[in-house]
Amino acid sequence: MINTAKKGRLTVLGAVAIGAMVALAGCASSDPLSDGGDASSSSDAIVVGSQQYYSNEIIAELYAQALEDGGYTVDRQYQIGQREVYLPELESGSIDVFPEYTGNLLQYYDKESTAKSPEEVESALADALPDGLTALAAAPASDQDSYNVTKEFSEENGITSLADLKDYSGSLAVGAPPENAERPYGPPGLKSVYGVDVTSTPIDDGGGPLTVKALLDGSVQLADVYTASPLIAENDLVTLDDPENLILPQNVVPIVSDKVDADAKAIIDAVDAVLTPSDLQKLNAKSQTDQESSGTIAKEYLTSKKLIG
Amino acid sequence: MNVFLDSLAWLADPVHLAGPNGVPARLGEHVLYSLAAVAIAAVVAIPVGFLIGHTGRGRTVAVALTGGVRALPTVGLVFLLALVLGIGITAPMIAFVVLAIPSILAGAYSGFEAVDRATIDAARAVGMTEWQIVTRVELPLGLPLLIGGLRSALLQVVATTTIAATVGAGGLGIYIFTGLRSNDYTQMFAGSLVVIALAVVLEVLFSVLQRLVVPAGVAAGRPLDTRVTTSRSAAAKATSLQEGTQ
Amino acid sequence: MTWIWSNTDYIWDKTLVHLGLSVPPVLLAFVISLPIGWLANRVAWLRGVLLTASGLIYAIPSFALLVALPGIIGLYPLRSSTNLIVGLTLYGVALMVRSTADGLRAVEADVLQSASAVGYSPWQRFWRVELPLAGPVLLAGLRVVVVSTVSLATVGGILGINGLGLLFNDGLQRSILAEIGTGIVLTIVMALVLDGLLVLLGRVLMPWAGREPGPRSRRQEAVTA
C-alpha cells in the first residue's frame, strides 16, 4: 500500500505532469483553433498563406521573407487545403498574400472561359477576380499539368506530342491527381481534342513520387506531373507537346487583398520578375531531392538574387 | 438538409453509377479488399489466438500488441508502404492485414478465456481429448467473442480502405478525394455517406451474427453474467475487447 | 535521416499542435459520457439503445465522419480544427459510454445501500462512492480513448488540418520516408506517454484499486462476485 507521504508526493507529481502538459499545449506556436478561421495576428502584420503543396509553400516563403526584409511583419499560415477556404479569407482580409496559378484560378471563377495562351489567361483572370482581390503581375515561372512518358516509351513509339498518341495501338492509362478526370484537359479533353482514349488511374500525391513510380513501373503509360517538378528531369521523362493548347497555362501569380500597400506590392513584384520556370524547378528540387525546408530554400534564393540582405 | 439531398441526387445520377468509376464498382472493390484482408488476417490470427487462449501463455504479448496497434496511425502506414512498394492494392493490403490481426487475435483468445475453467475440467473428466475440447467446448462457447473480434477488424479495414484511394488503389475513398481536390463537397459527402452506410450495415450484420452464434444451451439457461461483475475483471475485459476504427 | 535534424522546430511545432488537438476531445468525451453512462445504467431500456447507438457511431470510419460532419452540422469549415475536435469527441463519447455504463453497473448494490444508510445524499453518493468504485473501469476506457484519439487525430492531415498528420501528407508529396516515419513514431510515442500518465493518475487517485488480475484469478472473482 502506498503510505500517505508517498501518496502526497505522487499527487504533486501527477498535478505537475498534467499542468506541464496543459501549459505545453498552450505554448504551441500556432493556435490550433485559428486554422480556417480569422488570423490571430496583430492588425498591421501581413498574412501570407500557401496551399497544401510544398512548391506553393516555397513561393509563399519567398514573398514572406522578401516582405520581412522590406520591414513588414509577416504572419505565415501555410498548408491551407482548399480555395473555398482561403479565397474568402483573402477577400475579407484575414489573409493578405497568396501565391496562385493563373489557369486554375481562372477556371475556379469562370468555368466557361476560353482563354488559352498565358497572356489571355492572365488578362481574363484580372477580369474574373471579385472585388477585394487583386492579381499582381504573373511570373514567368509556371507549374502546370503536363503529360509525360518514359524515355523508352517515347523512343520506341515515336511519341513526342499529345497528337502522336492516337496512333498508339495499346491501351493508355494516365496516373493523375483525382480531379484530373473531371477537368477539361483530362481524358474527356484528350478524347475530344486529340482523339485519344485514356483511362484514369487517380493518385493523390500531387503529381509526385507515387505517380512517377507508377509510370516507371509500367502501371500507367502516361503521368500527369506538374511542369515545375524536379522528378521530370531526374527520371528523364519526356513531356509531351500540347500543340492545341489543351492544357491551361498556370503561371505563378500572387493574389493580394486590399490591405497590401504599394510598397509591399512592389516587393512581391520584384520576386516574381526573376522567378523563371527553371528557377522554380531548381527550388522544388532542393525541397524534394535535398529535403531542405522552405525557409532555407527561400533564403538561399533571395540572397543569391540580391533581393534580401 | 440541402447537402443530404444534393448528395442523394448525386448518388442516384446514372452517370455516377456506370462504369469502373461508378458507385457499385467502387463499392464492390471496397468490400472485396476488406473481406480479403480480414480473411488473410484471420488465417494467421485465429490459430494463434486459440493457442494463446487454450494454453494461457503469450497473453501479455497479445494484449500489448492489441494496445500498440491502436496507437498506430493508419494514414502514415499506408503512405509509407505505398512510397516503398508503389501504387495499387499491395501496399494498402499489407497495412490492412497488420491492422486487422490484433482485433482478431483478441477475439480469438478472449473467446477461449471466457470459457469457465470448470466446464473444461468437466469435459476432461468426461474423457474428451484436447482436440475435442477445443472443437466441441471452447470453440462454440468462444465463437461470439471471436465474431466480435472479426467485426472490429472488418470495420477497421473498411475505414482504412477509404484512405487507400489516395495511393491508386480504388475503393469508395475516390469520391472523397476527387471531391476534395475539385471543391465538390457534394461528391465528398456522397462518398462519405456510402462508406458510413457500408460500415453501419456491416456492424449490424455482425452484431446479429454474434448473437445468433451463441450456443442454444448457453442462451437458454444463461446464468449470471459472472464474467463482468467486479470492477477489476471488467477492467481487464475492457482493455482487451474495445477496439477502434480509423 | 538528416531531414529530422534539420527540421526539429517544425516537428516540435506539429507535436504541440497535435497534443492541443488530442487532449480536449478526451476530456470532453469523459465529461459528456458521465451523464449518458449514468442514464444508461439507471434506465433499463435506455441502456440497450444508448449502447447500440454508441456502437454504431464507433463503427463509422473516421475519415468519412470528418468529411460528413461539416455537412451535417454546417457550422464550421471542413479543414478546421473544430471539425477534428468534434469528430474525435464523438468517437470518445461513443467509446466511453460503454465503459461508464459498465463501470457503474459493476458497483454492488449493497455498497450503495450502505452509503445511503450512512446518510449520503444521492448526489454525494454518486461522487463519493459510485464514481470512485467505478473508477478502474472508467480509467481503462479512458486509456483506450486517449490512445485512439491521438492516433485518429492524424487522419485530419489528409484534409489539411494541422497536427502530426501533415507530416504524412508532406512526406508523401516530397517522398521523404523519414518524415512519414517520424510522424508514425511520434504518434505512437505520444499515445503511449499519455496512456502512461493516465495510469499514473489512476494510481494517485485510486491507490486502493491495486493492479489488474491475470486470467487465473478470474474464477475466484467470479465466485466471490
Side-chain angles (χ1 to χ4, degrees):
Chain A
M1 284 300 285
I2 308 177
N3 63 35
T4 7
K6 211 170 174 190
K7 176 178 167 186
R9 268 181 267 145
L10 274 180
T11 318
V12 173
L13 179 65
V16 168
I18 296 175
M21 214 170 64
V22 172
L24 272 182
C27 281
S29 48
S30 43
D31 178 0
L33 292 177
S34 75
D35 283 339
D38 0 41
S40 53
S41 54
S42 58
S43 55
D44 47 358
I46 297 190
V47 181
V48 177
S50 91
Q51 295 175 347
Q52 207 180 337
Y53 173 36
Y54 75 89
S55 178
N56 191 269
E57 192 185 292
I58 297 176
I59 303 174
E61 184 63 15
L62 286 175
Y63 298 157
Q65 287 190 13
L67 286 169
E68 278 177 334
D69 190 67
Y72 293 89
T73 332
V74 171
D75 200 25
R76 294 159 171 77
Q77 286 198 8
Y78 292 160
Q79 301 280 329
I80 307 181
Q82 293 172 274
R83 288 200 170 89
E84 274 173 354
V85 172
Y86 62 74
L87 285 176
E89 286 182 30
L90 267 170
E91 285 184 56
S92 72
S94 317
I95 300 184
D96 297 306
V97 180
F98 209 102
E100 259 282 9
Y101 303 97
T102 50
N104 280 336
L105 194 57
L106 176 62
Q107 281 281 311
Y108 181 79
Y109 281 115
D110 181 10
K111 279 206 173 53
E112 317 295 323
S113 171
T114 52
K116 288 251 179 97
S117 74
E119 300 75 28
E120 281 176 19
V121 171
E122 209 188 327
S123 62
L125 179 63
D127 291 335
L129 280 178
D131 287 336
L133 291 185
T134 320
L136 300 182
S142 69
D143 196 4
Q144 60 217 40
D145 296 82
S146 69
Y147 290 109
N148 299 271
V149 297
T150 60
K151 191 142 173 262
E152 296 75 40
F153 184 89
S154 172
E155 285 170 2
E156 273 168 22
N157 299 290
I159 294 181
T160 53
S161 150
L162 286 173
D164 298 333
L165 282 177
K166 66 179 182 301
D167 302 321
Y168 181 68
S169 51
S171 64
L172 287 169
V174 61
E179 68 273 21
N180 173 280
E182 301 183 356
R183 290 266 167 87
Y185 49 82
L190 285 172
K191 176 81 182 158
S192 62
V193 173
Y194 289 106
V196 188
D197 281 308
V198 179
T199 53
S200 260
T201 302
I203 306 173
D204 197 28
D205 67 343
L210 282 185
T211 312
V212 172
K213 189 172 187 331
L215 184 66
L216 296 173
D217 288 342
S219 316
V220 295
Q221 288 71 42
L222 297 166
D224 180 2
V225 182
Y226 298 127
T227 48
S229 169
L231 295 173
I232 299 181
E234 269 171 42
N235 295 286
D236 261 345
L237 300 182
V238 174
T239 306
L240 299 180
D241 293 328
D242 178 24
E244 306 293 328
N245 277 324
L246 172 67
I247 300 177
L248 220 46
Q250 307 283 359
N251 292 78
V252 173
V253 60
I255 307 294
V256 299
S257 73
D258 292 335
K259 231 172 80 183
V260 177
D261 61 25
D263 287 335
K265 286 184 184 166
I267 294 180
I268 300 175
D269 278 333
V271 173
D272 281 328
V274 299
L275 194 63
T276 63
S278 70
D279 276 354
L280 187 55
Q281 276 181 346
K282 295 207 189 81
L283 294 178
N284 286 346
K286 292 229 170 90
S287 175
Q288 271 219 9
T289 330
D290 305 333
Q291 300 184 355
E292 290 178 24
S293 72
S294 56
T296 322
I297 302 174
K299 195 152 176 212
E300 260 177 36
Y301 183 69
L302 290 174
T303 321
S304 73
K305 294 285 175 188
K306 309 242 189 303
L307 287 169
I308 61 171
Chain B
M1 261 309 138
N2 250 341
V3 191
F4 271 108
L5 295 177
D6 287 340
S7 296
L8 289 175
W10 191 94
L11 285 171
D13 188 346
V15 166
H16 299 136
L17 295 175
N21 198 35
V23 177
R26 293 299 188 193
L27 179 61
E29 272 177 359
H30 205 111
V31 171
L32 195 66
Y33 294 158
S34 308
L35 290 178
V38 170
I40 298 174
V43 162
V44 171
I46 293 186
V48 175
F50 282 170
L51 208 64
I52 295 179
H54 187 71
T55 61
R57 281 186 232 145
R59 196 180 172 277
T60 18
V61 172
V63 170
L65 201 66
T66 317
V69 115
R70 198 180 292 129
L72 189 63
T74 53
V75 175
L77 188 61
V78 170
F79 283 7
L80 191 73
L81 288 170
L83 269 184
V84 172
L85 298 171
I87 65 166
I89 194 56
T90 326
M93 187 58 81
I94 297 179
F96 300 159
V97 171
V98 165
L99 293 166
I101 287 183
S103 296
I104 304 180
L105 196 66
Y109 75 66
S110 61
F112 268 44
E113 272 176 5
V115 178
D116 196 351
R117 293 287 125 179
T119 315
I120 300 188
D121 286 343
R124 272 204 196 99
V126 166
M128 287 188 175
T129 63
E130 287 305 298
W131 181 247
Q132 283 176 321
I133 295 179
V134 169
T135 51
R136 299 223 216 138
V137 178
E138 289 184 303
L139 195 51
L141 288 177
L143 209 51
L145 280 174
L146 174 62
I147 304 246
L150 284 171
R151 158 175 140 213
S152 273
L154 189 58
L155 288 172
Q156 170 71 292
V157 175
V158 165
T160 316
T161 309
T162 319
I163 299 175
T166 338
V167 297
L172 292 168
I174 192 63
Y175 303 122
I176 299 182
F177 289 109
T178 310
L180 181 63
R181 306 288 171 217
S182 327
N183 289 312
D184 184 359
Y185 187 68
T186 310
Q187 189 174 167
M188 289 183 82
F189 197 75
S192 70
L193 279 183
V194 181
V195 175
I196 293 177
L198 177 63
V200 167
V201 163
L202 287 174
E203 163 83 5
V204 168
L205 267 179
F206 271 73
S207 298
V208 168
L209 190 62
Q210 215 171 327
R211 240 166 274 172
L212 286 179
V213 142
V214 176
V218 176
R222 186 172 271 266
L224 299 168
D225 205 337
T226 54
R227 285 174 277 139
V228 192
T229 34
T230 62
S231 304
R232 283 190 237 164
S233 59
K237 265 278 181 296
T239 42
S240 66
L241 285 185
Q242 297 212 356
E243 301 303 337
T245 54
Q246 292 186 17
Chain C
M1 265 309 172
T2 46
W3 181 87
I4 302 179
W5 307 131
S6 0
N7 288 283
T8 42
D9 280 344
Y10 176 66
I11 298 175
W12 182 239
D13 182 60
K14 293 285 158 266
T15 310
L16 288 181
V17 169
H18 197 94
L19 196 62
L21 290 177
S22 309
V23 171
V26 175
L27 298 174
L28 280 173
F30 180 64
V31 166
I32 295 177
S33 69
L34 272 183
I36 301 181
W38 181 84
L39 227 90
N41 195 34
R42 268 316 194 80
V43 185
W45 58 268
L46 259 188
R47 187 191 174 88
V49 168
L50 287 173
L51 289 186
T52 316
S54 50
L56 281 179
I57 294 180
Y58 203 68
I60 298 178
S62 61
F63 186 47
L65 186 70
L66 284 180
V67 167
L69 273 178
I72 301 174
I73 303 186
L75 289 176
Y76 48 73
L78 176 67
R79 69 163 286 275
S80 64
S81 317
T82 319
N83 190 18
L84 187 62
I85 292 184
V86 170
L88 290 175
T89 308
L90 208 57
Y91 279 126
V93 169
L95 257 179
M96 273 311 286
V97 163
R98 170 165 282 274
S99 284
T100 314
D102 280 349
L104 290 174
R105 180 168 81 149
V107 179
E108 290 126 354
D110 298 347
V111 177
L112 294 180
Q113 281 178 346
S114 319
S116 298
V118 165
Y120 278 107
S121 70
W123 181 254
Q124 284 176 319
R125 195 183 72 178
F126 177 76
W127 289 104
R128 307 248 195 110
V129 179
E130 271 187 283
L131 201 53
L133 281 181
V137 179
L138 290 188
L139 187 69
L142 209 58
R143 287 175 64 189
V144 174
V145 171
V146 151
V147 171
S148 348
T149 303
V150 168
S151 176
L152 278 179
T154 56
V155 175
I158 319 181
L159 294 174
I161 303 176
N162 209 347
L164 289 173
L166 279 188
L167 293 178
F168 299 143
N169 237 346
D170 194 56
L172 179 69
Q173 276 186 3
R174 294 162 65 191
S175 185
I176 305 180
L177 283 173
E179 190 170 4
I180 303 184
T182 307
I184 296 180
V185 167
L186 284 178
T187 307
I188 297 181
V189 165
M190 190 186 293
L192 292 179
V193 165
L194 289 180
D195 182 58
L197 282 177
L198 272 183
V199 172
L200 216 69
L201 190 67
R203 301 244 182 98
V204 163
L205 292 177
M206 300 178 296
W208 39 267
R211 304 204 162 217
E212 289 170 9
R216 298 263 171 84
S217 52
R218 192 160 302 151
R219 184 172 29 151
Q220 282 184 326
E221 291 185 310
V223 167
T224 51

